[in-house]
């Protein structure tokens, strides 16, 4: 869009990027004969077309610091040049003024650079000080300025000049003991419903005798119970003169916020506090003066708004004949398709756009019924806020991504969306008409992204378990060999036990041999409880002789002591052991003829018998 | 002779305490430090998924391949690569990644559905060949039977058999119980031996996927085909074939394959992706 004016060539216009697409299609329709004439025509027009492109990115404007001034008051005339790229700008040509005069014709200049929504913007500013001379409504004529060799002009600006203390806007007298400087929280809505947008302005009032040089917020503003959006990038209003309680004040908006109550009931907006650097131009002292101010009249003052309590009500229940998307404000709802004809497997976006002013960030996604032959991908949300608007406004887009899985013509059915209009305090319905989408096959595709009930071409999302090291083969695992070795070991051990058990039961001699030690020991144990010494020696004899016959597989009875010892010697039993055995056996055999054998001897001989049996066990 | 100065006891304790304190520090220092060139696979995976949603499949695949090149593997990664290749009209690579994804429990059923879908596409393209039951049977033994699971079953059977045998011999001597134990143990042992034999045999074969639109089977590596021979047995993209590793190892750029209808022959190795 063209916002400037070229004095030599008059108004110009542009069709933007669309022009290139239209030209291309236009050339495609021409026959070769017509092409030359057409190209010649476009060559002649080319400078004009190029000029329009230049103008698209350029904006020239003028403004004043106050449109309503008193005689003798000084104000500023600003000339702004906004461009997306650096420009060569000349100094503005200042027009003649009626009722006003320039204090200086040398401007204060400044250049700023900003990036809004990804678009770079350069702003050049020329500021001139102007003094009001005569009463009446006057117009500052257009200011001409040369940019990149072309001339542009601003719109005229109207300024009203009046006598001092004449008809100024009268604000209601809210504070009887009004101070020379104070701040107030001004709300546009006192009884909101939950979720409704409230514009909260922090406004500074100060007398004409005070200059406010700067200020800063001293405490963070915690608006509990409210979702807050900063509107400070919106165009700030210039200080204006107002009459309060018959006194002239200057009024300046310091900050602007959109507040959205998130719950109903009584909610309190806390105080907002600033520290301002002020300068007193009069001679008198006020309540902020101190002894130490001295001759310097600049000082810091702390200012604070009063806390405000609001009664937030619940919006009425939404009607059931539509889909309520939690939208409160003044909105329009629209639904479109990104394209109405797609190839099989291509994506198409169903774009639902909610435009207007209100709780944009809290609006929930409307859900629509889609034909079953579409894969739905994760929907996207795009909020585009109008940063310069004095309210929370802009658009919110919900893009449902559909991928066609079968060819044909499909219909997305009509749907009704319900929005609460906070200005009219009622619900409004928007009927979104049905959408028709045509899906065609791509003749060049080898793969047909056809409809399949079993398979959806949708990626797996979310957290994934990752593996890095290659799994070693199972025979490299210790558990594999252990699992094989354990049964083998068990089998060998149990087989041996099984064989031993079978031999014990089936082989009498082996049984005697194996049980000899056990039987002899048991017998000797029993002897300790006997009182009759002769029976004890008889038992010792039996134990030793039976042990020898069992171990050597000899008949159990019918052997003399010498025969037993001889048998031992034949089995290479050591001679001392054989002699000890013979001595013990002989002692046992002859003790019955002894007059009175002692108990101590018997105990000693039992021990000797145990020792002999143990030693014989090792050698037999 | 002067005595050597003795460190007081508390001094020694301090030294040993500082030694104990230093030890964990040294141990931590000795731990392998993650390489700075390492990547965050989940972050890249999410990025790849986002690009898929944006229909930007080539870039999504770039990212997935980067994850793969760092040695990270997962079923969803291979499955999403398969999906991307479907959208890029590359059936062979799609089949390859679906096959890889099918080996993971979390995406097994999804990947099988993807492979069914590719079979369906092959029917539409007229390149479908039947899977002869004999070769399906053989391939099941070679690739699908899960050898480890079967060996585990054999080991469990063997152990149970031995325990039953011990019971029949020693705890409650009974010929029948012992006989059952021997039967179980022998069955388990046979199962282990049989599965191990198959496993060793399967080591000679690999599954592979044809990734070129059409490739001819040669009777010998490097053999020049006549026009008649060319029309005989082509292998088409997305065919899942059995490759003889032993035979193929003898020729650096050729692979000996068997199609699932039993046709065998040599193809250039570049036409294949080995699973």
């Amino acid at each position: 869009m063209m916002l400037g004016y070229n004095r030599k060539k008059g108004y110009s216009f542009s069709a933007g990027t669309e022009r290139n697409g239209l030209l291309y299609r236009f050339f495609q329709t021409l026959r070769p004969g017509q092409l030359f004439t057409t190209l010649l025509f476009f060559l002649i027009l080319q400078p004009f077309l190029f000029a329009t492109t230049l103008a698209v990115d350029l904006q020239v404007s003028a403004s004043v610091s106050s449109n309503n001034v008193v005689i003798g008051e000084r104000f500023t005339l600003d000339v702004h040049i906004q461009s997306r790229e650096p420009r060569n700008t000349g100094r503005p040509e200042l027009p003649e003024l009626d009722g006003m005069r320039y204090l200086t014709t040398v401007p204060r200049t400044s250049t700023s650079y900003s990036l809004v929504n990804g678009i770079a913007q350069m702003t050049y500013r020329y500021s001139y000080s102007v003094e009001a001379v005569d009463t009446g409504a006057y117009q500052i004529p257009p200011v001409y300025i040369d940019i990149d060799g072309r001339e542009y002009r601003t719109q005229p600006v109207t300024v009203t000049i009046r006598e001092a203390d004449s008809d100024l806007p009268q604000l209601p007298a809210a504070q009887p003991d009004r101070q020379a400087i104070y701040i107030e929280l001004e709300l546009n809505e006192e009884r909101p419903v939950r979720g409704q947008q409230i514009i909260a302005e922090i406004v500074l009032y100060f007398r004409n005798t005070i200059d406010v040089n700067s200020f800063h917020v001293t405490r963070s503003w915690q608006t509990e119970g409210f979702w807050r959006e900063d509107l400070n990038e919106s165009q700030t209003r210039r200080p204006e003169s107002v009459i309060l309680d018959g006194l002239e004040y200057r009024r300046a908006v310091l900050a602007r916020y959109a507040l959205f109550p998130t719950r109903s009931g009584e909610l309190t907006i806390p105080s907002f506090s600033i520290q301002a650097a002020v300068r007193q131009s009069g001679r008198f002292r006020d309540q902020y003066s101190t002894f130490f101010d001295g001759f310097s009249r600049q000082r810091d003052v702390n200012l604070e708004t009063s806390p405000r309590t609001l009664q937030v009500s619940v919006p009425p229940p939404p009607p059931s004949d539509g889909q309520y998307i939690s939208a409160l404000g003044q909105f329009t709802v629209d639904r479109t398709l990104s394209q109405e004809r797609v190839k099989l497997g291509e994506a198409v976006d169903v774009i639902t756009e909610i435009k207007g002013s209100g709780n944009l960030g809290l609006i929930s996604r409307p859900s629509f019924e889609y034909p079953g032959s579409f894969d739905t991908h994760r929907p996207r949300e795009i909020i585009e806020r109008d940063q310069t608007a004095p309210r929370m406004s802009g658009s919110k887009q919900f893009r449902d991504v559909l991928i066609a899985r079968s060819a044909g013509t499909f219909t997305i059915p009509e749907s009704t969306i319900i929005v609460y209009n906070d200005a009219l305090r009622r619900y409004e319905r928007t009927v979104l008409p049905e959408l028709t989408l045509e899906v065609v096959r791509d003749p060049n595709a080898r793969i047909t992204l056809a409809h399949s009930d079993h398979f959806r071409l949708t990626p797996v999302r979310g957290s994934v378990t990752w593996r890095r090291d290659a799994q070693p083969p199972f025979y490299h695992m210790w558990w594999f060999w252990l699992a094989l070795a354990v049964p083998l070991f068990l089998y060998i051990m149990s087989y041996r036990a099984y064989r031993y058990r079978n031999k014990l039961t089936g082989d009498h001699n082996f049984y005697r041999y194996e049980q000899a030690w056990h039987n002899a020991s048991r017998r000797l144990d029993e002897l300790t409880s006997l009182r009759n010494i002769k029976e004890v020696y008889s038992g010792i004899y039996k134990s030793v002789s039976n042990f020898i016959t069992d171990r050597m597989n000899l008949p159990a009875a019918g052997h003399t002591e010498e025969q037993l010892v001889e048998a031992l010697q034949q089995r290479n039993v050591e001679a001392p052991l054989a002699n000890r055995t013979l001595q013990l056996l002989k002692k046992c055999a002859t003790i019955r003829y002894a007059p009175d054998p002692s108990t101590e001897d018997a105990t000693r001989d039992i021990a000797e018998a145990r020792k002999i049996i143990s030693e014989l066990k090792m050698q037999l | 002779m002067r005595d050597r100065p003795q460190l007081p006891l508390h001094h020694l304790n301090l030294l040993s305490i500082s030694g104990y304190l230093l030890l964990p520090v040294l141990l931590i220092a000795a731990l392998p430090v993650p390489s700075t060139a390492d990547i965050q696979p989940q972050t890249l995976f999410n990025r790849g998924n986002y690009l898929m949603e944006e229909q930007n499949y080539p870039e999504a695949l770039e990212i997935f391949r980067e994850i793969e090149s760092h040695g990270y593997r997962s079923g969803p990664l291979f499955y999403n690569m398969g999906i991307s290749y479907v959208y890029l009209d590359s059936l062979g690579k799609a089949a390859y990644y679906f096959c890889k994804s099918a080996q993971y429990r979390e995406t097994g059923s999804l990947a099988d559905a993807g492979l069914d879908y590719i079979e369906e596409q092959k029917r539409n393209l007229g390149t479908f060949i039947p899977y002869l039951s004999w070769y399906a049977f053989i391939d099941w033994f070679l690739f699908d039977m899960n050898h480890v699971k079967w060996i585990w079953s054999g080991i469990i059977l063997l152990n149970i058999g031995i325990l039953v045998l011990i019971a029949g011999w020693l705890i409650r001597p009974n010929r029948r119980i012992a006989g059952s134990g021997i039967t179980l143990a022998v069955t388990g042992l046979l199962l282990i031996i049989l599965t191990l034999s198959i496993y060793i045999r399967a080591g000679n074969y690999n599954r592979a996927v044809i990734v070129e639109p059409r490739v001819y089977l040669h009777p010998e590596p490097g053999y020049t085909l006549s026009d008649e021979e060319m029309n005989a047995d082509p292998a088409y993209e997305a065919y899942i074939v059995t490759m003889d590793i032993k035979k193929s190892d003898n020729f650096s750029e050729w692979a000996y394959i068997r199609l699932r209808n039993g046709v065998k022959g040599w193809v250039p190795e570049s036409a294949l992706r080995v699973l």
Side-chain angles (χ1 to χ4, degrees):
Chain A
M1 187 179 65
M2 169 70 179
L3 294 169
Y5 174 76
N6 188 317
R7 193 157 47 173
K8 289 167 189 165
K9 294 187 173 67
Y11 287 102
S12 52
F13 61 92
S14 165
T17 52
E18 182 62 21
R19 186 190 69 213
N20 300 329
L22 289 171
L23 281 176
Y24 175 74
R25 282 182 212 159
F26 174 68
F27 278 118
Q28 275 194 324
T29 57
L30 290 178
R31 288 198 301 273
Q34 294 172 318
L35 192 61
F36 178 75
T37 322
T38 312
L39 279 174
L40 197 65
F41 175 73
F42 274 101
L43 277 172
I44 295 164
L45 277 181
Q46 192 268 342
F48 298 93
L49 291 171
F50 183 75
T52 63
T53 315
L54 182 73
V56 166
D57 301 332
L58 196 63
Q59 190 175 351
V60 180
S61 61
S63 63
V64 288
S65 57
S66 179
N67 294 87
N68 201 337
V69 293
V70 293
I71 289 179
E73 191 175 339
R74 293 169 184 186
F75 59 95
T76 311
L77 168 66
D78 287 332
V79 178
H80 302 267
I81 301 147
Q82 286 182 313
S83 166
R84 289 188 188 173
E85 55 194 55
R87 304 279 184 186
N88 284 323
T89 58
R91 186 177 287 185
E93 288 177 26
L94 293 176
E96 291 293 327
L97 296 179
D98 282 342
M100 296 163 275
R101 68 181 180 93
Y102 297 106
L103 291 171
T104 170
T105 53
V106 179
R108 290 191 305 275
T109 58
S110 67
T111 309
S112 64
Y113 178 84
S114 65
L115 197 69
V116 179
N117 293 333
I119 300 165
Q121 187 94 340
M122 294 201 73
T123 307
Y124 303 85
R125 181 194 280 184
Y126 297 88
S127 302
Y128 300 89
S129 290
V130 181
E131 188 182 19
V133 177
D134 205 359
T135 56
Y138 298 100
Q139 200 175 57
I140 298 173
V143 180
Y144 290 89
I145 186 161
D146 187 85
I147 301 167
D148 287 345
R150 294 176 189 282
E151 202 167 42
Y152 294 85
R153 72 170 190 181
T154 65
Q155 299 296 325
V157 182
T158 305
V159 177
T160 307
I161 304 169
R162 54 185 166 69
E163 292 287 350
D165 295 335
S166 65
D167 301 333
L168 277 178
Q170 300 274 335
L171 288 186
Q175 294 181 341
D177 51 344
R178 201 172 292 282
Q179 294 169 347
I181 179 167
Y182 63 95
I183 58 170
E184 252 187 21
L185 170 68
E186 293 184 359
L187 304 174
N188 73 331
E189 179 63 59
E190 294 290 337
R191 297 187 64 81
V193 295
R194 191 179 61 213
Q196 186 183 343
Q197 179 170 218
I198 307 163
I199 304 300
E201 287 181 334
I202 310 297
V203 186
L204 174 71
Y205 290 94
F206 56 99
R207 293 296 306 275
N208 276 348
T209 52
I210 293 174
D211 290 334
V212 180
N213 294 335
S214 65
F215 74 92
H216 67 267
V217 180
T218 52
R219 200 172 58 218
S220 68
W221 201 35
Q222 301 292 338
T223 51
E224 198 192 328
F226 294 90
W227 170 53
R228 193 174 77 204
E229 282 286 339
D230 197 340
L231 300 175
N232 289 321
E233 284 185 46
S234 61
Q235 285 174 347
T236 48
R237 292 177 212 165
R238 306 235 168 230
E240 56 187 3
S241 297
V242 291
I243 296 290
L244 298 170
D245 300 335
L247 297 171
E248 188 176 342
Y249 273 82
R250 303 282 282 164
R251 179 182 185 274
V253 177
L254 303 183
R256 183 183 286 129
Y257 299 95
L259 301 177
F260 299 88
T262 53
R263 57 173 191 259
S264 53
E266 205 170 75
L267 291 180
T268 302
I269 305 172
S271 58
F272 187 100
S273 51
I274 64 162
Q275 189 176 62
V278 299
R279 189 180 175 84
Q280 185 83 28
S281 54
R283 285 174 177 272
F284 59 90
R285 297 175 73 81
D286 57 18
Q287 68 272 32
Y288 300 113
S289 306
T290 66
F291 174 79
F292 298 103
D293 287 345
F295 295 106
S296 165
R297 291 196 180 120
Q298 179 156 328
R299 57 182 166 271
D300 291 336
V301 292
N302 290 314
L303 305 169
E304 192 174 77
T305 65
S306 307
R308 293 282 288 275
T309 302
L310 299 180
Q311 197 63 41
V312 180
S313 55
V314 183
S320 56
D321 57 344
Q323 202 180 149
Y324 179 56
I325 53 169
S326 310
L328 275 92
Q330 288 101 59
F331 290 112
T332 57
V333 187
D334 191 23
R335 184 176 68 169
T336 52
L337 289 170
S338 60
Q339 44 190 334
E340 290 176 351
R341 193 166 189 267
V342 290
K343 287 177 189 163
L344 206 59
E346 271 185 354
V348 61
D349 288 3
V350 178
I351 306 160
T352 311
E353 189 170 39
I354 299 125
K355 261 187 185 171
S357 168
N359 62 344
L360 271 179
L362 301 175
I363 297 173
S364 56
R365 187 175 75 92
S367 61
F368 302 121
E369 286 176 25
Y370 296 119
S373 54
F374 286 94
D375 282 338
T376 51
H377 279 239
R378 190 164 49 190
R380 282 173 289 175
E381 287 184 23
I382 303 161
I383 293 184
E384 280 187 5
R385 229 188 92 182
D386 183 357
Q387 302 288 348
T388 57
R391 299 171 65 84
M392 173 72 179
S393 58
S395 69
K396 186 169 190 176
Q397 273 190 6
F398 295 96
R399 284 174 169 259
D400 290 354
V401 184
L402 308 181
I403 293 179
R405 303 295 310 280
S406 59
T409 303
F410 301 95
T411 304
I412 299 167
E414 179 185 280
S415 185
T416 304
I417 301 292
I418 294 173
V419 172
Y420 184 77
N421 187 322
D422 57 0
L424 302 172
R425 302 240 166 200
R426 67 168 190 229
Y427 286 100
E428 288 177 341
R429 291 170 184 76
T430 305
V431 178
L432 303 175
E434 68 174 27
L435 300 171
T436 306
L437 176 64
E438 192 184 355
V439 181
V440 293
R441 287 179 189 279
D442 181 2
N444 297 320
R446 288 183 306 121
I447 297 178
T448 314
L449 297 169
H451 173 70
S452 165
D453 290 334
H454 306 294
F455 185 55
R456 294 264 170 214
L457 287 165
T458 314
V460 177
R461 303 186 193 96
S463 185
V464 169
T465 309
W466 298 96
R467 290 174 208 173
R468 198 156 188 196
D469 300 321
Q471 192 79 17
F474 64 87
Y475 50 81
H476 284 180
M477 303 286 194
W478 62 270
W479 50 258
F480 171 71
W481 296 106
L482 184 72
L484 282 180
V486 166
L488 184 71
F489 175 74
L490 283 177
Y491 174 77
I492 292 167
M493 296 308 290
S494 61
Y495 182 70
R496 286 185 62 178
Y498 175 69
R499 286 279 304 276
Y500 175 75
R501 196 174 178 148
N502 278 357
K503 206 170 177 183
L504 275 183
T505 51
D507 187 343
H508 179 66
N509 292 337
F510 180 72
Y511 180 79
R512 277 181 68 199
Y513 179 87
E514 284 292 304
Q515 294 295 309
W517 163 257
H518 176 70
N519 290 340
S521 300
R522 183 169 47 81
R523 247 183 232 135
L524 288 173
D525 288 343
E526 285 167 3
L527 294 179
T528 51
S529 58
L530 291 178
R531 298 280 176 200
N532 189 334
I533 299 300
K534 290 181 180 176
E535 279 181 18
V536 170
Y537 274 101
S538 170
I540 292 172
Y541 187 90
K542 252 187 186 173
S543 297
V544 175
S545 63
N546 283 358
F547 179 76
I548 293 168
T549 54
D550 286 350
R551 294 294 281 195
M552 296 182 69
N553 195 18
L554 298 172
H559 303 285
T560 63
E561 293 84 32
E562 287 78 11
Q563 283 172 334
L564 287 173
V565 172
E566 195 183 333
L568 287 176
Q569 285 167 341
Q570 281 172 3
R571 292 285 291 271
N572 299 323
V573 171
E574 290 168 355
L577 178 59
N579 288 338
R580 277 169 55 211
T581 310
L582 184 63
Q583 279 174 10
L584 183 64
L585 287 173
K586 282 204 166 174
K587 187 177 181 183
C588 293
T590 55
I591 201 77
R592 65 189 82 165
Y593 308 112
D596 193 15
S598 71
T599 313
E600 287 79 24
D601 282 352
T603 309
R604 200 163 43 244
D605 288 335
I606 289 171
E608 173 66 4
R610 282 185 200 282
K611 211 172 170 188
I612 287 170
I613 287 169
S614 296
E615 288 175 25
L616 284 174
K617 190 188 171 194
M618 306 294 283
Q619 298 188 30
L620 289 176
Chain B
M1 189 179 154
R2 289 180 63 190
D3 289 335
R4 290 176 66 189
Q6 297 283 316
L7 282 171
L9 192 60
H10 71 272
H11 194 163
L12 281 172
N13 286 343
L14 274 176
L15 279 178
S16 53
I17 288 164
S18 61
Y20 282 126
L21 289 173
L22 197 62
L23 188 66
V25 176
L26 289 172
L27 283 173
I28 291 164
L31 287 174
V33 179
S35 161
T36 48
D38 212 353
I39 56 157
Q40 295 290 325
Q42 185 64 48
T43 311
L44 284 177
F45 181 69
N46 294 342
R47 171 82 186 141
N49 285 347
Y50 171 75
L51 288 169
M52 280 184 80
E53 283 166 15
E54 295 286 308
Q55 319 288 307
N56 192 348
Y57 299 107
E59 275 192 33
L61 277 168
E62 287 273 324
I63 286 173
F64 292 147
R65 274 195 291 263
E66 193 189 338
I67 299 171
E68 201 186 3
S69 69
H70 279 80
Y72 290 103
R73 301 183 318 278
S74 80
L77 171 73
F78 294 136
Y79 181 74
N80 289 2
M81 289 179 88
I83 295 276
S84 300
Y85 276 118
V86 167
Y87 279 110
L88 292 177
D89 208 19
S90 177
L91 268 186
K93 285 173 187 166
Y96 172 75
Y97 282 107
F98 283 144
C99 281
K100 287 186 92 164
S101 174
Q103 293 164 5
Y104 294 82
R105 192 184 298 167
E106 65 262 48
T107 49
S109 55
L110 282 172
D112 286 341
L115 287 169
D116 290 344
Y117 173 75
I118 285 176
E119 287 298 308
E120 195 182 313
Q121 297 301 313
K122 284 196 280 192
R123 280 178 203 277
N124 295 343
L125 293 167
T127 61
F128 177 80
I129 50 168
Y131 206 169
L132 295 188
S133 43
W134 171 247
Y135 293 111
F137 179 69
I138 300 277
D139 284 350
W140 185 85
F141 276 111
L142 293 179
F143 308 117
D144 299 325
M145 76 175 277
N146 196 339
H147 303 104
V148 177
K149 210 179 263 181
W150 281 88
I151 284 173
W152 258 117
S153 308
I155 287 172
I156 290 167
L157 216 56
L158 175 67
N159 279 274
I160 293 171
I162 294 293
L163 291 176
V164 173
L165 184 65
I166 290 169
W169 275 350
L170 306 175
I171 299 164
R172 185 174 286 183
N174 185 312
R175 278 178 177 275
R176 274 191 173 179
I177 296 174
S180 309
I182 288 171
T183 312
L184 281 171
V186 168
T187 311
L189 202 61
L190 282 176
L191 196 61
I192 293 167
I193 292 166
L194 195 70
T195 314
L196 273 175
S197 311
I198 295 169
Y199 179 79
I200 292 162
R201 184 83 182 146
N204 293 332
Y205 297 93
N206 246 339
R207 254 193 183 143
V209 182
I210 305 279
V211 291
E212 285 189 3
R214 174 189 269 222
V215 61
Y216 299 101
L217 269 68
H218 297 60
E220 298 289 338
Y223 176 85
T224 310
L225 293 171
S226 66
D227 289 346
E228 283 177 17
E229 284 170 325
M230 273 195 160
N231 292 326
D233 297 305
Y236 291 96
E237 192 176 11
Y239 275 14
I240 298 166
V241 299
T242 305
M243 189 178 94
D244 189 326
I245 299 171
K246 225 175 178 180
K247 273 192 174 182
S248 305
D249 279 352
N250 297 326
F251 299 92
S252 60
E253 290 176 357
W254 289 84
Y256 187 72
I257 61 163
R258 172 175 53 73
L259 305 186
R260 59 190 195 179
N261 59 359
V263 175
K264 294 172 185 169
W266 292 86
V267 292
E269 217 170 46
S270 57
L272 291 175
R273 280 252 184 139
V274 180
L275 282 163

